[in-house]
Amino acid sequence: MKKSFISNIAGSNWIYLIIILCLFPLLFFKLFNAGFMCWDDADYILENQYVHAFSVKDFFTRFYIGNYHPLTMVSFGIDWQLFGNQAKWYHIENITWHMFNAILVFYIGKRFSLTSFYAFILAVVFAFHPLQIETVAWIAERKNLLYAFFFLMAILFYFQYKRSNKSWQLILVYFMFIFSLLSKSSAVTLPLVFILIDVFIFNENWKNNIKRYIPFFLISISFGLVNLVSQSSGKFISTSHNYPLVEKIGIFGYGIFHYVASFIFPGNLSVFYSYPKNLGSIAIIGIITLLLLIVIIYFMIKLKKSHAIFSISFFLVNIFLVLQIIPFGDAITADRYMYIPIIGLSLLFIHLFIKLKINKMFLVLVVIVLPFLSVVRASLWEDNIVLLKNSLKRDPTSIIPLNSIGVIYMERNDFKNAFFYLNKTISYSPNYYKGYYNRGLLNGKIGNYKNAIGDFSKAIELTDYYKAYVGRGNSYLMLKDYSKAFSDAEKANSLNKNNPRTLFLLANCYDDLNQLEKSILYYNQAIALNTEDPSYYLRRAIVYGKMQQFQLCLKDLEICTELDKDYAEAYYWKGVVKVNMKQNPCNDLSRAVNLGFEAAQQPLANYCK
């Protein structure tokens, strides 16, 4: 009689699974205090009206930050309905998915003919290697966790199908494959993994299974094309890193070298790995790595080391697409790309340990050291500035972290440090338009509108960035140069149709010119596109007040304070409107004063004696 899944756990595997499960809260507790990451988390969650409205239609019909992953967006939508902007629960869910994946890796290790002990080692390395922290700690990388979960489930079902040859189990494989692709397009490599399993685990001739592979490859190609469209539409295919062929080959090989080296020596990890300014040494390392890899694979084939060939191939198949053959983004490598490929390298080293008959206590020592390094790495994610400054230890001239630190300081109103880091960004990369754009925002925030216009103009000179036109238009508006403000708003609108920021700028211009009906029209359009920015409602409320439409004014101000319970200016205007409506303004004016809005002090003294 066959053992059930439960009885299998109750056998020789249960102790290992319990150890893994107990380690999770001990090793990832630092992440409970982490917030949202300054990259992507706001676009995916905090400022995403489709997530807030749980718009499933939009999840399946829109691209998000250059990606198509509707199941990931559904996951964020559910989280928002349950937890709102409480980052702790998103982190707990990420950790939970990672725990599920570690358990699946344990059982996959068993399918790869490992004993329970070695399957445990495989699962522990997968779960607690410092390279995995980025995927678990970065909320936006939920896509990595979800795609991996369905990817690993598909592999387990594929093994089940191979042993039973029941068509309904193959149908389950298809479902898991499609769910994985709908979570992240990286799952396109799964058909190649099936071929590796057939050839190296089941010793089959892959040509005999072509009919079975074809549907999988057709699905992969379809999703691969969608991903190319999404990346292109989001301008994430980097033309600035489109190097000559020899250097591309060198970068490709260097990526392999970097990931293997980081796996063996994970002591110098970073949240961002910049392209080096001089690619010569990188290209040489990469080409030597590729030549060495070819030699290793040749001898493995000659010696018929099927386990080693499978492990190396599993790693290469799943890392291939992120080795910058097509240059995506500004980073040359990224820790999160190792989430699934790390299984291949772990298998390779486990088989090497078995072959060399190395004492198991050495592996136990590895199991102790890796989690310790992961706790240290996880602690960096408690604060964005700490995390980004850590990456500068590796490369002090890296403009992406420098620019991001400057923006964070600006958001925290630490203007001295904000200028320091944004000026550094521009000095290291005078052609980096986002550095000028963000410094323009900073200058605008402190009232240096002429300097802001200079920075926005430089950003526009470097690239037609619609946000820079909006920023410059706002600066012109503050200087009462309406013709230039309107001109920039029109240009921004031509670059990005019906953007709420542009419509808000136009509304403010018409408000300033006392064309109140036109102003209301544009505020309405801006709010229709972004229902969650309290400043939009505040400005429309003020215009309604000018028009003596106090009921509409008060309604907008109520929405303001619902969206932001500490919006001092909104409480002040609520008090003013209530005075006009002969209602009691004291609670609102008092709240405004307590929040530091000085203009509320006099009316509070006048009406609330």
Side-chain angles (χ1 to χ4, degrees):
M1 187 175 178
K2 291 184 178 179
K3 286 185 177 181
S4 69
F5 181 75
I6 298 297
S7 63
N8 193 33
I9 290 180
S12 60
N13 300 327
W14 68 271
I15 187 65
Y16 296 113
L17 292 171
I18 287 177
I19 293 171
I20 291 170
L21 293 176
C22 289
L23 284 172
F24 266 84
L26 294 174
L27 299 179
F28 290 108
F29 73 96
K30 287 284 187 181
L31 297 182
F32 296 166
N33 297 322
F36 290 98
M37 173 63 169
C38 60
W39 298 335
D40 296 355
D41 283 357
D43 290 326
Y44 275 132
I45 304 162
L46 296 176
E47 298 171 6
N48 192 321
Q49 61 180 322
Y50 305 111
V51 165
H52 300 178
F54 195 66
S55 178
V56 176
K57 178 186 174 184
D58 286 293
F59 296 157
F60 279 86
T61 57
R62 289 179 177 270
F63 299 142
Y64 294 88
I65 318 180
N67 290 286
Y68 180 71
H69 36 47
L71 283 189
T72 300
M73 300 312 296
V74 168
S75 171
F76 288 143
I78 293 170
D79 283 0
W80 185 265
Q81 310 312 309
L82 294 174
F83 313 126
N85 62 356
Q86 298 179 63
K88 175 177 71 174
W89 297 105
Y90 293 82
H91 286 296
I92 289 173
E93 185 172 342
N94 271 22
I95 293 166
T96 303
W97 281 112
H98 185 50
M99 182 177 68
F100 289 156
N101 291 339
I103 293 169
L104 293 177
V105 167
F106 175 84
Y107 281 101
I108 285 173
K110 298 278 286 183
R111 300 298 184 272
F112 291 158
S113 301
L114 296 179
T115 64
S116 293
F117 172 77
Y118 288 113
F120 166 72
I121 297 297
L122 178 68
V124 167
V125 174
F126 172 84
F128 306 120
H129 195 288
L131 278 170
Q132 305 292 65
I133 294 298
E134 181 170 297
T135 291
V136 184
W138 192 352
I139 293 169
E141 283 308 307
R142 176 76 55 78
K143 55 183 178 285
N144 228 21
L145 296 161
L146 288 179
Y147 116 78
F149 175 79
F150 294 115
F151 191 96
L152 298 170
M153 286 291 289
I155 291 174
L156 285 173
F157 281 128
Y158 191 73
F159 269 100
Q160 198 67 23
Y161 163 74
K162 292 290 295 182
R163 288 179 173 138
S164 67
N165 204 30
K166 293 178 180 178
S167 57
W168 67 269
Q169 290 179 333
L170 185 60
I171 291 171
L172 286 176
V173 176
Y174 278 113
F175 272 111
M176 293 300 106
F177 179 36
I178 292 169
F179 290 162
S180 187
L181 287 164
L182 290 172
S183 301
K184 188 180 180 183
S185 61
S186 298
V188 294
T189 60
L190 189 55
L192 294 174
V193 173
F194 292 154
I195 293 175
L196 294 177
I197 290 170
D198 287 346
V199 172
F200 295 107
I201 305 298
F202 290 96
N203 298 314
E204 296 177 355
N205 187 331
W206 65 273
K207 294 178 182 178
N208 297 334
N209 300 319
I210 286 178
K211 287 184 179 180
R212 187 169 70 235
Y213 300 144
I214 287 174
F216 286 109
F217 278 107
L218 290 175
I219 295 170
S220 277
I221 291 167
S222 300
F223 274 87
L225 292 173
V226 170
N227 184 58
L228 283 175
V229 172
S230 66
Q231 291 282 334
S232 299
S233 68
K235 298 182 180 179
F236 285 94
I237 296 179
S238 177
T239 55
S240 61
H241 302 308
N242 195 13
Y243 300 108
L245 181 61
V246 173
E247 289 186 342
K248 274 192 173 183
I249 293 170
I251 291 169
F252 179 88
Y254 172 78
I256 295 172
F257 168 82
H258 169 87
Y259 289 119
V260 174
S262 297
F263 174 77
I264 300 171
F265 305 107
N268 191 25
L269 303 182
S270 173
V271 74
F272 190 85
Y273 300 94
S274 305
Y275 276 82
K277 291 178 174 59
N278 182 0
L279 282 176
S281 58
I282 294 295
I284 291 170
I285 292 172
I287 289 169
I288 291 172
T289 299
L290 288 175
L291 292 173
L292 183 61
L293 182 63
I294 291 167
V295 171
I296 290 171
I297 292 174
Y298 170 77
F299 279 106
M300 291 298 101
I301 293 172
K302 194 170 182 180
L303 295 171
K304 297 181 179 179
K305 301 293 183 181
S306 60
H307 287 302
I309 299 168
F310 174 81
S311 302
I312 294 170
S313 300
F314 186 97
F315 165 70
L316 292 175
V317 159
N318 287 292
I319 205 72
F320 176 84
L321 292 175
V322 293
L323 292 175
Q324 300 300 346
I325 290 295
I326 299 175
F328 293 103
D330 294 308
I332 191 169
T333 56
D335 292 355
R336 61 189 178 276
Y337 295 154
M338 274 290 281
Y339 191 69
I340 287 291
I342 203 171
I343 297 171
L345 286 185
S346 302
L347 276 171
L348 179 64
F349 279 88
I350 286 171
H351 285 304
L352 182 64
F353 273 69
I354 294 171
K355 184 70 176 176
L356 297 177
K357 298 180 180 178
I358 296 174
N359 193 304
K360 288 183 178 181
M361 286 305 298
F362 186 83
L363 285 176
V364 172
L365 181 64
V366 171
V367 168
I368 294 171
V369 171
L370 283 181
F372 172 77
L373 294 175
S374 287
V375 170
V376 175
R377 185 80 192 146
S379 67
L380 297 174
W381 285 81
E382 290 184 292
D383 183 87
N384 280 321
I385 287 180
V386 172
L387 178 66
L388 293 168
K389 283 185 177 180
N390 176 262
S391 72
L392 293 178
K393 292 179 182 178
R394 183 184 180 95
D395 181 5
T397 67
S398 183
I399 60 170
I400 304 298
L402 285 169
N403 178 67
S404 298
I405 293 170
V407 171
I408 295 168
Y409 276 126
M410 175 171 59
E411 291 170 347
R412 295 180 182 180
N413 293 325
D414 185 343
F415 302 133
K416 182 180 178 181
N417 274 315
F419 271 115
F420 176 80
Y421 281 96
L422 291 175
N423 288 339
K424 266 194 169 186
T425 301
I426 292 167
S427 68
Y428 288 134
S429 183
N431 294 322
Y432 184 59
Y433 72 95
K434 285 188 178 179
Y436 292 102
Y437 168 72
N438 287 319
R439 195 172 69 179
L441 292 178
L442 179 57
N443 274 311
K445 195 167 185 178
I446 63 172
N448 289 338
Y449 300 116
K450 289 184 178 179
N451 289 345
I453 288 168
D455 281 332
F456 289 131
S457 297
K458 182 63 178 177
I460 290 166
E461 179 187 321
L462 292 168
T463 187
D464 252 359
Y465 189 41
Y466 86 93
K467 289 183 181 180
Y469 282 105
V470 174
R472 191 172 70 176
N474 279 314
S475 296
Y476 281 131
L477 173 61
M478 298 306 294
L479 295 173
K480 309 299 182 185
D481 193 338
Y482 300 113
S483 63
K484 289 182 179 177
F486 276 115
S487 175
D488 276 349
E490 289 169 4
K491 180 63 177 178
N493 194 49
S494 69
L495 293 171
N496 193 319
K497 292 286 185 185
N498 296 323
N499 185 275
R501 298 185 189 195
T502 307
L503 296 167
F504 187 59
L505 169 59
L506 288 167
N508 291 336
C509 287
Y510 283 117
D511 175 19
D512 235 31
L513 292 169
N514 209 35
Q515 297 183 35
L516 303 184
E517 294 290 347
K518 278 191 175 181
S519 178
I520 289 293
L521 176 67
Y522 281 105
Y523 283 131
N524 290 344
Q525 291 179 31
I527 289 170
L529 293 168
N530 183 352
T531 61
E532 298 180 356
D533 191 326
S535 65
Y536 290 11
Y537 292 98
L538 178 72
R539 291 302 300 264
R540 188 173 70 176
I542 292 171
V543 174
Y544 278 136
K546 291 178 182 178
M547 298 169 72
Q548 305 293 299
Q549 297 184 31
F550 297 124
Q551 289 289 354
L552 291 174
C553 175
L554 187 59
K555 182 180 178 182
D556 272 353
L557 293 171
E558 293 286 359
I559 295 172
C560 279
T561 53
E562 285 174 13
L563 291 170
D564 183 354
K565 291 180 171 51
D566 295 325
Y567 202 163
E569 188 177 359
Y571 286 107
Y572 164 72
W573 284 110
K574 279 171 74 174
V576 171
V577 171
K578 286 180 179 179
V579 169
N580 283 277
M581 298 175 71
K582 303 192 184 313
Q583 296 180 13
N584 185 353
C586 298
N587 287 339
D588 293 304
L589 291 173
S590 178
R591 177 78 168 141
V593 168
N594 291 336
L595 289 168
F597 197 75
E598 294 181 3
Q601 290 177 352
Q602 191 59 50
L604 180 65
N606 291 342
Y607 298 105
C608 304
K609 294 178 181 179

